[in-house]
Amino acid sequence: VYGNTSICSFVVSVLDQAAPIISNCPADMELSLSTGCSVAAQWTPPLASDNCGVTSFTSSHSLGSQFELGTTEVTYTATDANGNSTTCSFDVTVVDDEGPTITGCPSGVSVSANAACQAVVTWVPPTITNNCGSATLTATHNPESTFPLGTTVVTYTAEDSEGNTSTCSFNVVVTDASPQVLA
């Protein structure tokens, strides 16, 4: 026929705009301190997949890392060969819910009253240790205090910076040992 031809051409560009998928991102977790001021955290690492392949999958913290008191965010980032990336994050919260330990609490003190029907009583105060940080020790009465006749309960309270407390108590008994005079 006439030999006319037409040519049409076009370019097809295939772009990867799909970010990787991270599945099974760990849930937020809360851990309690037992000793020291940090604790190792364990979790099941998430999985990453991508339609064109994951080229890097990183985490801000390694499995089994030590975490300090407070909240720390852990972030996983998956990146594919075309620069697409996605993240998943979870919080690791470390709490101190253990009270200080009181050792050496007196078992009780018994003394005789003086002529004024009272007694100055002394004892060795207990000591405290704490799993993380310092703690303070307060008492309802101190050694060398004056006590009246009868039984008085002495209580020591240890409190750490997180508000955890421990107590120990003992009795101070003051008796009247003077002979009775009959009139």
Coordinates of all heavy atoms in Angstrom, one line a residue, residues 80-172:
D80 N 15.8 -0.4 52.5 CA 16.0 -1.2 51.3 C 17.0 -0.6 50.4 O 17.5 0.5 50.6 CB 14.6 -1.5 50.6 CG 14.0 -0.3 50.0 OD1 14.7 0.7 49.8 OD2 12.8 -0.4 49.6
A81 N 17.3 -1.3 49.3 CA 18.3 -0.8 48.3 C 18.0 0.5 47.7 O 18.9 1.2 47.1 CB 18.5 -1.9 47.2
N82 N 16.7 0.9 47.7 CA 16.3 2.2 47.0 C 16.2 3.3 48.0 O 15.6 4.3 47.7 CB 15.1 1.9 46.2 CG 15.3 1.0 45.1 OD1 16.2 1.2 44.2 ND2 14.7 -0.2 45.1
G83 N 16.6 3.1 49.2 CA 16.6 4.2 50.2 C 15.3 4.3 51.0 O 15.1 5.2 51.8
N84 N 14.3 3.4 50.8 CA 13.1 3.5 51.5 C 13.4 2.9 52.9 O 14.1 1.9 53.0 CB 12.0 2.6 50.8 CG 11.7 3.2 49.5 OD1 11.5 4.4 49.3 ND2 11.7 2.3 48.5
S85 N 12.8 3.5 53.9 CA 13.1 2.9 55.3 C 11.8 3.0 56.1 O 10.9 3.8 55.8 CB 14.2 3.6 56.0 OG 13.9 5.0 56.2
T86 N 11.8 2.2 57.2 CA 10.7 2.3 58.1 C 11.3 1.9 59.5 O 12.3 1.3 59.6 CB 9.5 1.3 57.7 OG1 8.4 1.5 58.6 CG2 10.0 -0.1 57.9
T87 N 10.6 2.4 60.5 CA 11.1 2.1 61.9 C 10.0 1.5 62.8 O 8.8 1.7 62.5 CB 11.6 3.4 62.6 OG1 10.5 4.3 62.7 CG2 12.7 4.0 61.8
C88 N 10.4 0.9 63.8 CA 9.4 0.5 64.9 C 10.2 0.8 66.2 O 11.4 0.7 66.3 CB 9.0 -1.0 64.7 SG 10.0 -2.2 65.6
S89 N 9.4 1.2 67.2 CA 10.0 1.6 68.5 C 9.2 1.0 69.6 O 8.0 0.8 69.5 CB 10.0 3.1 68.6 OG 10.8 3.7 67.6
F90 N 9.8 0.8 70.7 CA 9.2 0.4 71.9 C 10.0 0.9 73.1 O 11.2 1.3 73.0 CB 9.0 -1.1 72.0 CG 10.3 -1.9 72.1 CD1 10.8 -2.3 73.3 CD2 10.9 -2.2 70.9 CE1 12.0 -3.0 73.3 CE2 12.1 -3.0 70.9 CZ 12.7 -3.4 72.1
D91 N 9.3 1.1 74.3 CA 10.0 1.7 75.4 C 10.4 0.5 76.4 O 9.6 -0.4 76.6 CB 9.1 2.6 76.2 CG 8.9 3.9 75.4 OD1 9.8 4.3 74.6 OD2 7.8 4.6 75.6
V92 N 11.6 0.7 77.0 CA 12.0 -0.2 78.1 C 12.0 0.8 79.3 O 12.8 1.7 79.4 CB 13.4 -0.8 77.8 CG1 13.9 -1.6 79.1 CG2 13.4 -1.7 76.6
T93 N 11.1 0.5 80.3 CA 11.1 1.3 81.5 C 11.6 0.4 82.7 O 11.2 -0.7 82.9 CB 9.6 1.7 81.8 OG1 9.1 2.4 80.7 CG2 9.5 2.5 83.0
V94 N 12.6 1.0 83.3 CA 13.2 0.3 84.5 C 12.8 1.1 85.7 O 12.9 2.3 85.8 CB 14.8 0.3 84.4 CG1 15.4 -0.3 85.6 CG2 15.2 -0.4 83.1
V95 N 12.2 0.3 86.7 CA 11.7 0.9 87.9 C 12.4 0.3 89.1 O 12.9 -0.9 89.0 CB 10.2 0.7 88.1 CG1 9.4 1.5 87.0 CG2 9.8 -0.8 88.1
D96 N 12.5 1.0 90.1 CA 13.1 0.5 91.4 C 11.9 0.4 92.4 O 11.4 1.4 92.9 CB 14.1 1.5 92.0 CG 14.7 1.1 93.3 OD1 14.4 0.0 93.8 OD2 15.5 1.9 93.9
D97 N 11.4 -0.8 92.6 CA 10.3 -1.0 93.5 C 10.7 -1.8 94.7 O 9.9 -2.4 95.4 CB 9.1 -1.6 92.8 CG 9.4 -2.8 92.0 OD1 10.6 -3.3 92.1 OD2 8.6 -3.3 91.3
E98 N 12.0 -1.8 95.0 CA 12.5 -2.6 96.1 C 13.0 -1.6 97.2 O 13.7 -0.7 97.0 CB 13.7 -3.5 95.7 CG 14.2 -4.4 96.7 CD 15.3 -5.3 96.2 OE1 15.1 -5.9 95.1 OE2 16.3 -5.4 96.9
G99 N 12.5 -1.8 98.4 CA 12.9 -1.0 99.5 C 14.3 -1.3 100.0 O 14.8 -2.3 99.7
P100 N 14.9 -0.3 100.7 CA 16.2 -0.5 101.3 C 16.2 -1.6 102.3 O 15.1 -2.0 102.8 CB 16.5 0.8 102.0 CG 15.5 1.8 101.4 CD 14.3 1.0 101.0
T101 N 17.3 -2.2 102.5 CA 17.5 -3.3 103.5 C 18.0 -2.7 104.8 O 19.0 -2.0 104.8 CB 18.4 -4.4 103.0 OG1 17.9 -4.9 101.8 CG2 18.6 -5.5 104.0
I102 N 17.3 -3.0 105.9 CA 17.7 -2.6 107.2 C 18.4 -3.8 107.9 O 17.7 -4.9 108.0 CB 16.6 -2.1 108.1 CG1 15.9 -0.9 107.4 CG2 17.0 -1.7 109.5 CD1 14.6 -0.4 108.1
T103 N 19.6 -3.7 108.4 CA 20.2 -4.7 109.1 C 20.7 -4.3 110.5 O 21.0 -3.1 110.7 CB 21.5 -5.3 108.4 OG1 22.4 -4.2 108.1 CG2 21.1 -5.9 107.1
G104 N 20.7 -5.2 111.5 CA 21.1 -4.9 112.8 C 20.1 -4.1 113.6 O 20.5 -3.4 114.6
C105 N 18.8 -4.4 113.4 CA 17.8 -3.8 114.2 C 17.8 -4.4 115.6 O 17.9 -5.6 115.7 CB 16.4 -4.0 113.5 SG 15.1 -3.0 114.3
P106 N 17.9 -3.6 116.6 CA 17.9 -4.2 118.0 C 16.7 -5.1 118.2 O 15.6 -4.8 117.7 CB 17.9 -2.9 118.9 CG 18.4 -1.8 118.1 CD 17.9 -2.1 116.7
S107 N 16.9 -6.1 119.0 CA 15.8 -7.0 119.3 C 14.9 -6.5 120.5 O 13.9 -7.0 120.7 CB 16.4 -8.4 119.6 OG 17.2 -8.3 120.7
G108 N 15.4 -5.5 121.2 CA 14.6 -5.0 122.3 C 15.6 -4.6 123.4 O 16.7 -5.2 123.5
V109 N 15.2 -3.7 124.2 CA 16.0 -3.2 125.3 C 15.2 -3.1 126.6 O 14.0 -2.5 126.5 CB 16.6 -1.8 125.0 CG1 17.4 -1.3 126.1 CG2 17.4 -1.8 123.7
S110 N 15.6 -3.6 127.7 CA 15.0 -3.5 129.0 C 15.9 -2.9 130.0 O 17.1 -3.3 130.1 CB 14.6 -4.9 129.5 OG 13.6 -5.5 128.7
V111 N 15.4 -1.8 130.7 CA 16.3 -1.1 131.6 C 15.4 -0.8 132.9 O 14.2 -0.8 132.8 CB 16.9 0.2 131.1 CG1 17.9 -0.1 130.0 CG2 15.8 1.1 130.6
S112 N 16.1 -0.5 134.0 CA 15.4 -0.1 135.2 C 15.3 1.4 135.2 O 16.2 2.1 134.8 CB 16.1 -0.6 136.4 OG 16.1 -2.0 136.5
A113 N 14.2 2.0 135.8 CA 14.0 3.4 135.9 C 14.9 4.0 136.9 O 15.3 3.3 137.9 CB 12.5 3.7 136.1
N114 N 15.2 5.3 136.8 CA 15.9 6.0 137.8 C 14.9 6.5 138.9 O 13.7 6.2 138.8 CB 16.8 7.1 137.2 CG 15.9 8.1 136.4 OD1 14.7 8.3 136.6 ND2 16.6 8.8 135.5
A115 N 15.3 7.4 139.8 CA 14.5 7.9 140.8 C 13.3 8.8 140.2 O 12.3 8.9 140.8 CB 15.3 8.7 141.8
A116 N 13.5 9.3 139.0 CA 12.5 10.1 138.4 C 11.5 9.3 137.6 O 10.7 9.8 136.8 CB 13.1 11.2 137.6
C117 N 11.6 8.0 137.7 CA 10.7 7.0 137.0 C 10.9 7.1 135.5 O 9.9 7.0 134.7 CB 9.3 7.2 137.4 SG 8.9 6.8 139.1
Q118 N 12.1 7.2 135.1 CA 12.4 7.2 133.6 C 13.8 6.7 133.5 O 14.5 6.5 134.4 CB 12.3 8.6 133.1 CG 13.2 9.7 133.7 CD 12.9 11.1 133.3 OE1 11.9 11.3 132.6 NE2 13.7 12.0 133.6
A119 N 14.3 6.5 132.2 CA 15.6 6.0 132.0 C 16.1 6.5 130.7 O 15.4 6.7 129.7 CB 15.6 4.5 131.9
V120 N 17.4 6.8 130.6 CA 18.1 7.2 129.4 C 18.6 5.9 128.8 O 19.3 5.1 129.5 CB 19.3 8.1 129.6 CG1 20.1 8.4 128.4 CG2 18.8 9.5 130.2
V121 N 18.2 5.6 127.6 CA 18.4 4.3 127.0 C 19.3 4.5 125.7 O 19.1 5.4 124.9 CB 17.1 3.6 126.6 CG1 17.4 2.2 126.0 CG2 16.2 3.5 127.8
T122 N 20.3 3.6 125.6 CA 21.2 3.6 124.5 C 21.1 2.3 123.7 O 20.8 1.2 124.4 CB 22.6 4.0 124.9 OG1 23.4 4.2 123.7 CG2 23.2 3.0 125.8
W123 N 21.4 2.3 122.5 CA 21.5 1.1 121.6 C 22.3 1.4 120.4 O 22.6 2.6 120.1 CB 20.1 0.5 121.3 CG 19.3 1.5 120.4 CD1 19.3 1.6 119.1 CD2 18.4 2.4 120.9 NE1 18.5 2.6 118.7 CE2 17.9 3.1 119.8 CE3 17.9 2.8 122.2 CZ2 16.9 4.1 119.9 CZ3 17.0 3.8 122.3 CH2 16.5 4.5 121.2
V124 N 22.7 0.4 119.7 CA 23.4 0.6 118.4 C 22.4 0.7 117.3 O 21.6 -0.2 117.1 CB 24.4 -0.5 118.1 CG1 25.1 -0.3 116.8 CG2 25.5 -0.6 119.2
P125 N 22.3 1.8 116.6 CA 21.4 2.0 115.5 C 21.6 1.0 114.4 O 22.7 0.6 114.1 CB 21.6 3.4 115.0 CG 22.4 4.1 116.0 CD 23.2 3.0 116.7
P126 N 20.5 0.6 113.7 CA 20.7 -0.3 112.5 C 21.4 0.4 111.4 O 21.5 1.6 111.4 CB 19.3 -0.7 112.2 CG 18.4 0.4 112.7 CD 19.1 0.9 113.9
T127 N 21.8 -0.3 110.4 CA 22.4 0.2 109.1 C 21.5 -0.1 108.0 O 20.7 -1.0 108.0 CB 23.8 -0.3 108.9 OG1 23.7 -1.8 108.8 CG2 24.8 0.1 110.0
I128 N 21.7 0.6 106.9 CA 20.9 0.4 105.7 C 21.7 0.2 104.4 O 22.8 0.8 104.4 CB 19.8 1.5 105.4 CG1 20.5 2.9 105.3 CG2 18.8 1.5 106.5 CD1 19.6 4.0 104.9
T129 N 21.2 -0.6 103.5 CA 21.8 -0.7 102.2 C 20.7 -0.6 101.2 O 19.5 -0.9 101.5 CB 22.6 -2.0 102.0 OG1 21.6 -3.1 102.3 CG2 23.8 -2.1 102.8
N130 N 21.0 -0.2 100.0 CA 19.9 0.0 99.0 C 20.4 -0.6 97.7 O 21.6 -0.5 97.3 CB 19.6 1.5 98.8 CG 18.3 1.7 98.0 OD1 17.4 0.9 98.1 ND2 18.3 2.8 97.2
N131 N 19.5 -1.1 96.9 CA 19.9 -1.7 95.6 C 20.4 -0.7 94.6 O 21.2 -1.0 93.7 CB 18.8 -2.5 95.0 CG 17.5 -1.7 94.7 OD1 17.3 -0.7 95.3 ND2 16.8 -2.1 93.7
C132 N 19.9 0.5 94.6 CA 20.3 1.6 93.7 C 20.2 2.9 94.3 O 19.2 3.4 94.8 CB 19.4 1.5 92.4 SG 19.8 2.8 91.2
G133 N 21.3 3.6 94.4 CA 21.4 4.9 95.0 C 21.4 4.9 96.5 O 21.6 3.9 97.1
S134 N 21.1 6.1 97.1 CA 21.2 6.2 98.5 C 19.8 6.1 99.1 O 18.8 6.1 98.5 CB 21.8 7.6 98.9 OG 21.0 8.6 98.4
A135 N 19.9 6.0 100.4 CA 18.6 5.9 101.2 C 18.9 6.6 102.5 O 20.0 6.8 103.0 CB 18.2 4.5 101.5
T136 N 17.8 7.1 103.1 CA 17.9 7.8 104.4 C 17.2 7.0 105.5 O 16.3 6.2 105.2 CB 17.3 9.2 104.4 OG1 15.9 9.0 104.0 CG2 18.0 10.1 103.4
L137 N 17.7 7.1 106.7 CA 17.2 6.3 107.9 C 16.7 7.3 108.9 O 17.5 8.2 109.3 CB 18.3 5.4 108.4 CG 17.9 4.5 109.6 CD1 16.9 3.5 109.1 CD2 19.1 3.8 110.2
T138 N 15.5 7.2 109.3 CA 14.9 8.1 110.3 C 14.4 7.2 111.4 O 14.1 6.0 111.2 CB 13.7 8.9 109.8 OG1 12.7 8.1 109.2 CG2 14.3 9.9 108.7
A139 N 14.2 7.7 112.6 CA 13.8 7.0 113.8 C 12.8 7.8 114.6 O 12.8 9.0 114.6 CB 15.0 6.6 114.7
T140 N 11.9 7.1 115.3 CA 10.9 7.7 116.2 C 11.6 8.2 117.4 O 11.2 9.1 118.1 CB 9.8 6.8 116.5 OG1 10.3 5.6 117.1 CG2 8.9 6.5 115.3
H141 N 12.7 7.5 117.8 CA 13.5 7.8 119.0 C 15.0 7.5 118.6 O 15.3 6.6 117.8 CB 13.1 7.0 120.2 CG 11.7 7.2 120.6 ND1 10.7 6.5 120.0 CD2 11.2 7.9 121.6 CE1 9.5 6.9 120.6 NE2 9.8 7.7 121.5
N142 N 15.9 8.3 119.2 CA 17.3 8.1 119.0 C 18.0 7.5 120.2 O 17.5 7.7 121.3 CB 18.0 9.4 118.6 CG 17.5 9.9 117.2 OD1 17.4 9.1 116.3 ND2 17.1 11.1 117.2
P143 N 19.2 6.8 120.1 CA 19.9 6.4 121.2 C 20.2 7.6 122.1 O 20.3 8.7 121.7 CB 21.2 5.8 120.6 CG 20.9 5.5 119.2 CD 19.8 6.5 118.8
E144 N 20.2 7.3 123.4 CA 20.5 8.3 124.5 C 19.2 9.2 124.7 O 19.3 10.2 125.4 CB 21.6 9.3 124.1 CG 23.0 8.6 123.9 CD 23.5 7.8 125.1 OE1 23.3 8.3 126.3 OE2 24.0 6.7 124.9
S145 N 18.0 8.7 124.2 CA 16.8 9.4 124.5 C 16.3 8.9 125.9 O 16.7 7.9 126.4 CB 15.7 9.0 123.5 OG 16.0 9.5 122.2
T146 N 15.5 9.8 126.5 CA 14.9 9.5 127.8 C 13.5 8.8 127.6 O 12.7 9.3 126.8 CB 14.7 10.7 128.7 OG1 16.0 11.3 128.8 CG2 14.1 10.4 130.0
F147 N 13.3 7.7 128.3 CA 12.0 6.9 128.1 C 11.3 6.9 129.5 O 11.9 6.7 130.5 CB 12.3 5.5 127.6 CG 12.8 5.5 126.2 CD1 14.1 5.7 125.9 CD2 11.9 5.3 125.2 CE1 14.5 5.7 124.6 CE2 12.3 5.2 123.8 CZ 13.6 5.4 123.5
P148 N 10.0 6.9 129.5 CA 9.2 6.8 130.7 C 9.0 5.4 131.1 O 9.3 4.4 130.3 CB 7.8 7.4 130.3 CG 7.7 7.1 128.8 CD 9.1 7.2 128.3
L149 N 8.4 5.1 132.2 CA 8.1 3.8 132.6 C 7.1 3.1 131.6 O 6.3 3.8 131.0 CB 7.3 3.8 134.0 CG 8.2 4.0 135.2 CD1 7.3 4.1 136.5 CD2 9.2 2.8 135.4
G150 N 7.3 1.8 131.4 CA 6.5 1.1 130.5 C 7.2 0.7 129.2 O 8.4 0.8 129.1
T151 N 6.4 0.4 128.2 CA 6.9 -0.1 126.9 C 6.7 1.0 125.9 O 5.6 1.5 125.7 CB 6.3 -1.4 126.5 OG1 6.5 -2.4 127.5 CG2 6.8 -1.9 125.1
T152 N 7.8 1.3 125.2 CA 7.8 2.3 124.1 C 8.3 1.6 122.8 O 9.3 0.9 122.9 CB 8.6 3.5 124.3 OG1 8.2 4.1 125.6 CG2 8.6 4.5 123.2
V153 N 7.6 1.7 121.7 CA 8.0 1.1 120.5 C 8.9 2.1 119.7 O 8.5 3.3 119.5 CB 6.8 0.7 119.6 CG1 7.3 0.2 118.2 CG2 5.9 -0.3 120.3
V154 N 10.1 1.7 119.4 CA 11.0 2.5 118.5 C 10.9 1.9 117.1 O 11.1 0.7 116.9 CB 12.4 2.5 119.1 CG1 13.4 3.2 118.2 CG2 12.4 3.0 120.5
T155 N 10.7 2.8 116.2 CA 10.6 2.4 114.8 C 11.6 3.1 113.9 O 11.7 4.4 114.0 CB 9.2 2.6 114.2 OG1 8.3 1.9 115.0 CG2 9.1 2.2 112.7
Y156 N 12.4 2.4 113.1 CA 13.3 2.9 112.2 C 12.7 2.8 110.8 O 12.1 1.7 110.5 CB 14.7 2.2 112.2 CG 15.6 2.7 113.2 CD1 15.6 2.1 114.5 CD2 16.4 3.8 113.0 CE1 16.5 2.5 115.5 CE2 17.3 4.3 114.0 CZ 17.3 3.6 115.2 OH 18.2 4.1 116.2
T157 N 12.8 3.8 109.9 CA 12.2 3.8 108.6 C 13.3 4.2 107.6 O 14.0 5.2 107.8 CB 11.0 4.8 108.4 OG1 10.0 4.4 109.4 CG2 10.5 4.7 107.0
A158 N 13.6 3.3 106.6 CA 14.6 3.6 105.6 C 13.8 3.9 104.3 O 12.8 3.2 104.0 CB 15.5 2.4 105.4
E159 N 14.2 5.0 103.6 CA 13.5 5.4 102.4 C 14.5 5.8 101.3 O 15.5 6.5 101.6 CB 12.6 6.6 102.6 CG 11.8 7.0 101.4 CD 10.7 8.1 101.6 OE1 10.7 8.6 102.7 OE2 10.0 8.4 100.7
D160 N 14.3 5.2 100.1 CA 15.2 5.5 99.0 C 14.7 6.6 98.1 O 13.6 7.1 98.4 CB 15.6 4.3 98.2 CG 14.4 3.7 97.4 OD1 13.4 4.4 97.2 OD2 14.6 2.5 97.0
S161 N 15.4 7.0 97.1 CA 15.1 8.2 96.3 C 13.8 7.9 95.5 O 13.2 8.8 94.9 CB 16.2 8.6 95.4 OG 16.6 7.5 94.6
E162 N 13.4 6.7 95.3 CA 12.2 6.3 94.5 C 11.0 6.2 95.4 O 9.9 5.9 95.0 CB 12.4 5.0 93.8 CG 13.6 5.0 92.8 CD 13.3 6.1 91.7 OE1 12.2 6.1 91.1 OE2 14.2 6.9 91.4
G163 N 11.2 6.5 96.7 CA 10.0 6.5 97.7 C 9.7 5.1 98.2 O 8.7 4.9 98.9
N164 N 10.6 4.1 98.0 CA 10.4 2.8 98.6 C 10.9 2.8 100.0 O 11.9 3.4 100.3 CB 11.3 1.7 97.8 CG 10.9 1.7 96.3 OD1 9.7 1.5 96.0 ND2 11.9 1.8 95.5
T165 N 10.1 2.1 100.9 CA 10.5 2.2 102.3 C 10.6 0.8 102.9 O 10.0 -0.2 102.4 CB 9.4 3.0 103.1 OG1 8.2 2.3 103.0 CG2 9.4 4.4 102.7
S166 N 11.3 0.7 104.0 CA 11.4 -0.5 104.8 C 11.4 0.0 106.3 O 11.9 1.1 106.6 CB 12.7 -1.3 104.5 OG 12.7 -1.8 103.2
T167 N 10.9 -0.8 107.2 CA 10.9 -0.5 108.6 C 11.3 -1.6 109.4 O 11.3 -2.8 109.0 CB 9.5 0.0 109.1 OG1 8.6 -1.1 108.9 CG2 9.0 1.2 108.3
C168 N 11.8 -1.3 110.6 CA 12.1 -2.3 111.7 C 11.7 -1.6 113.0 O 11.8 -0.4 113.1 CB 13.5 -2.8 111.7 SG 14.7 -1.7 112.5
S169 N 11.2 -2.4 113.9 CA 10.8 -1.8 115.2 C 11.3 -2.7 116.3 O 11.5 -3.9 116.1 CB 9.2 -1.8 115.3 OG 8.7 -0.9 114.3
F170 N 11.4 -2.1 117.5 CA 11.7 -2.9 118.7 C 11.2 -2.2 119.9 O 10.8 -1.0 119.8 CB 13.3 -3.1 118.8 CG 14.1 -1.8 119.0 CD1 14.4 -1.4 120.3 CD2 14.5 -1.1 117.9 CE1 15.2 -0.3 120.4 CE2 15.2 0.0 118.1 CZ 15.5 0.5 119.3
N171 N 11.1 -2.9 121.0 CA 10.5 -2.3 122.2 C 11.6 -1.9 123.2 O 12.6 -2.6 123.4 CB 9.6 -3.3 123.0 CG 8.3 -3.6 122.2 OD1 7.8 -2.8 121.4 ND2 7.9 -4.9 122.3
V172 N 11.4 -0.7 123.8 CA 12.2 -0.3 124.9 C 11.3 -0.4 126.2 O 10.2 0.2 126.2 CB 12.7 1.2 124.7 CG1 13.3 1.7 126.0 CG2 13.6 1.3 123.6

